[in-house]
Amino acid sequence: MPKILIVGGGYAGFYTALKLEKWLRPGEAQVTMVDPLPYMTYQPFLPEVAAGSIEPRHAVVSQRRHLKYTNVITAKVTEINHATKTATITPEVGDPWLEEYDQVVVTAGSVSRTFPIPGVADEAIGLKNIEEAIAVRDRILTNFAKAANLPAGRERDRLLTFVVVGGGFAGIEVFGEMRSLASALLRYYPNLTFDDTTFHLIEAMGRIMPEVSHKTSLWVLKNLAQRGAQVHLDTQLTSAVGGVIELSTGETFESDTIVWTAGVMANPVLRNTDLPTEERGRLRVQADLRVVNEDGSIVPDAWGAGDVAAVPDLTGKGVGGYTVPNAQHAVRQGKLLAKNIAGSLRGEAPAEYYHENLGAVASFGLGEGVFQSGKIAIKGLPAWFMHRGYHGLAIPMWERKIRVFTNWILNFFLRRDIVSIAAREQPRVAFETFASRPRPAAPEAAAAPQEPARVKVSARS
């Protein structure tokens, strides 16, 4: 039986496995998917998770629950040797092993792209996984609780100053959602005012959200300004050492919360493979998602899709001629990939990936959104409903859709949950603090001097 190895369980990998289960006949192939996490994260929901509008577990999809016929391995693929058709699987516990395959599907996704800016690696939080979104939410809630106990001054200002680096969709969405959460929290802290909170977004380019029209991006800037959030355009972060923000404009201030959303790069696993990559480190593939060499020759039995692959955009609208790294493309590429792999096993020619962008929709706070499709732009509350409707239906599996919509309905009547569980990062502290421990062994008592033995003499009668 042919062995198909899927490297990565994000959008593209999860949907490839899910649809292979649909398209493959019983016994036609054995599918194995390897990912270090046991779930797929629906990343468009991360800003709302950071704002407490979505329960974190509702934004992830269990792989083992929904992939009924796929062998799911929770581990890392640390090397791919396509010449020998083997991959090195490295689990968190135990020894690595070699996994043989007949066809490999690389859908390892992307990671946050950072620059060697002093302090960023030590102070910033990314926004690529669910744990980071939860950390942002807990940081905001915890900082409000701390600030409420302090008098006005430098330390309180630091706690209530929030920074987002990157003005793309992810950056604008999390920035607006954080502002929305902070505004909602003020009702619970009567000694704090709106003016005590400060929000800064730093963008190196001269505009935000390149996926929408310039006119629409200006409307978003105006909306954020009206809500007390400051956007720094044509500005670079030069240092964040110790939480002290230094900008290329010369401005400086302190912040306890720095969220980094300034771009992504292909998963570094490609550095440990003999598969061909292009100049940006992405897997080189052609429009039918087969891996190709630089000269255009096909690499047999190798496929790629999603953020990790440079997929040609046949519509001619992609940046640099390639599809942009987003969920809209990754999901559709995964579905096509499953069809092409199943077809290749039966000697059928693979189809090329072609997808016209349906438009862009974003939410940046309760009741605030924007939708852009061609020259059509919708702003405000209607766009916010469109965002929720689209993504609520787009998250895979009906059980997750139901959970998300139910959560939104409950929040409408009960308001969002504002409980911080930051202590979860060190769950044993409370137990260790009060746990009884054995008393130290007492030093052995000095041996008492022994008296000379007495001999009892008895007389005979």
Side-chain angles (χ1 to χ4, degrees), residues 135-336:
V136 171
R137 174 182 178 273
D138 284 343
R139 180 73 63 87
I140 296 172
L141 297 174
T142 301
N143 282 9
F144 263 78
K146 291 178 179 178
N149 297 326
L150 296 174
R154 175 182 173 183
E155 185 57 32
R156 193 171 81 171
D157 291 343
R158 176 190 175 93
L159 291 170
L160 297 179
T161 298
F162 305 94
V163 177
V164 173
V165 183
F169 254 62
I172 290 296
E173 286 192 307
V174 73
F175 187 59
E177 293 287 355
M178 289 167 61
R179 173 70 270 183
S180 179
L181 172 60
S183 298
L185 287 175
L186 291 172
R187 65 184 295 140
Y188 305 104
Y189 296 93
N191 58 328
L192 298 178
T193 67
F194 183 88
D195 293 335
D196 291 328
T197 62
T198 307
F199 282 79
H200 297 272
L201 183 136
I202 303 166
E203 170 53 47
M205 296 176 60
R207 60 163 297 179
I208 60 170
M209 303 173 73
E211 298 88 346
V212 302
S213 69
H214 185 63
K215 182 178 180 181
T216 301
S217 70
L218 291 177
W219 180 87
V220 174
L221 288 174
K222 181 179 179 181
N223 178 279
L224 291 172
Q226 292 172 342
R227 295 162 58 194
Q230 185 175 356
V231 178
H232 305 262
L233 298 178
D234 293 314
T235 304
Q236 295 180 354
L237 175 67
T238 57
S239 178
V241 176
V244 178
I245 305 298
E246 297 180 9
L247 305 181
S248 58
T249 58
E251 187 175 356
T252 182
F253 50 86
E254 294 187 49
S255 173
D256 189 59
T257 307
I258 306 168
V259 182
W260 182 274
T261 65
V264 297
M265 66 179 184
N267 194 308
V269 69
L270 289 182
R271 300 170 187 169
N272 301 319
T273 175
D274 55 354
L275 295 171
T277 58
E278 42 91 79
E279 57 274 8
R280 292 183 58 186
R282 297 174 297 180
L283 191 66
R284 190 184 297 275
V285 301
Q286 60 184 23
D288 60 10
L289 306 179
R290 287 185 292 183
V291 178
V292 293
N293 292 304
E294 189 173 358
D295 60 4
S297 60
I298 295 172
V299 178
D301 303 322
W303 308 78
D307 292 4
V308 77
V311 180
D313 191 338
L314 299 183
T315 67
K317 301 175 182 178
V319 179
Y322 299 103
T323 59
V324 296
N326 63 21
Q328 189 177 136
H329 285 301
V331 168
R332 288 170 173 80
Q333 288 168 10
K335 292 178 180 180
L336 177 65

Side-chain angles (χ1 to χ4, degrees), residues 3-30:
K3 296 181 179 179
I4 301 171
L5 176 65
I6 302 174
V7 180
Y11 301 117
F14 180 83
Y15 270 96
T16 299
L18 188 68
K19 296 305 178 180
L20 277 174
E21 293 188 350
K22 174 182 178 181
W23 293 108
L24 290 176
R25 305 184 186 107
E28 191 171 11
Q30 175 186 333

